[in-house]
Amino acid sequence: MLNQKNRRSEDFCIIPVRITLNDRQEFLNHIRNLGDQYDVTIICLNRDMIAGYSHVKTAMIHALRSWKEEKNIARSLEMEVLLYVAGTRQTGQIAPFGPQIGENFYYLCITPAEKKIITALPDCIQEVDDKDWNIISEEKKKRLVQFFGITPEEITVTGEEQLVDLICERTALLAVNR
């Protein structure tokens, strides 16, 4: 069972989890059904493609805002969040951000934040609180720089310590680049 040590906002919560998937589509159907049952949206974001909590929070805030203002890009809130987190309007580019087969680590986002859904989540989801998810390894840094198209000049000007800010900027700019 997941504990309450997670990042919370009034509109959503972000929980670091480990998920072991054997059947991706079955899992997605299950969490969609749970979402319908509890009137929430559940989104899994692959930690390997995320630059920490601020990246997820930025994407959630912008996706929820566009959804509430009826300026959404996608037909579902789940897809809207995935597009914002990837900083793209191209659905063909967001696959690495979603659930994958095998054991993986995810940011589990629930909106609106609803405590009772936590007890109904499938057993394959286990909360993880033994790591600092904001740490970006060299391998992950290379993957993020390549995916988000961050140039060496940008890193030189801003400094490597600003990588997360550059990625959050790409996320926020999706609202502008319509």
Side-chain angles (χ1 to χ4, degrees):
M1 169 143 71
L2 301 176
N3 67 41
Q4 296 303 309
K5 284 178 70 179
N6 54 52
R7 310 287 172 120
R8 214 171 172 70
S9 169
E10 64 184 60
D11 291 337
F12 58 88
C13 64
I14 303 167
I15 306 167
V17 298
R18 174 181 28 251
I19 302 175
T20 303
L21 291 182
N22 297 320
D23 185 326
R24 183 178 179 275
Q25 195 55 51
E26 180 181 312
F27 174 76
L28 291 173
N29 290 340
H30 185 69
I31 63 171
R32 279 189 196 113
N33 289 337
L34 273 176
D36 290 344
Q37 180 182 346
Y38 287 89
D39 198 26
V40 298
T41 300
I42 304 168
I43 306 125
C44 292
L45 301 172
N46 184 347
R47 180 184 79 170
D48 289 341
M49 294 300 295
I50 302 293
Y53 281 99
S54 59
H55 181 192
V56 177
K57 185 176 180 181
T58 300
M60 290 294 294
I61 288 168
H62 286 281
L64 288 168
R65 181 182 307 141
S66 72
W67 200 258
K68 287 176 185 172
E69 293 174 357
E70 297 183 0
K71 295 180 180 178
N72 48 300
I73 302 164
R75 292 184 213 155
S76 72
L77 181 54
E78 297 95 327
M79 187 64 71
E80 190 81 4
V81 171
L82 284 164
L83 291 171
Y84 270 93
V85 83
T88 183
R89 296 176 58 89
Q90 305 301 315
T91 58
Q93 294 180 358
I94 62 173
F97 290 87
Q100 311 294 321
I101 296 294
E103 181 180 79
N104 295 281
F105 294 91
Y106 299 98
Y107 292 90
L108 182 71
C109 305
I110 303 171
T111 185
E114 179 59 60
K115 287 182 183 179
K116 60 186 173 184
I117 184 71
I118 293 172
T119 59
L121 291 170
D123 291 338
C124 67
I125 299 177
Q126 300 168 336
E127 186 169 11
V128 177
D129 62 358
D130 61 345
K131 299 178 184 183
D132 182 348
W133 283 35
N134 288 315
I135 294 175
I136 299 176
S137 68
E138 281 301 312
E139 178 185 332
K140 184 174 181 177
K141 178 180 145 189
K142 289 176 187 174
R143 183 173 40 254
L144 294 174
V145 164
Q146 180 180 2
F147 183 87
F148 287 97
I150 297 171
T151 65
E153 293 79 18
E154 286 177 285
I155 292 175
T156 299
V157 170
T158 63
E160 286 190 25
E161 65 280 354
Q162 299 302 315
L163 178 62
V164 174
D165 292 335
L166 290 170
I167 291 170
C168 287
E169 181 180 79
R170 299 285 201 284
T171 299
L173 284 174
L174 185 61
V176 176
N177 299 327
R178 288 183 181 263

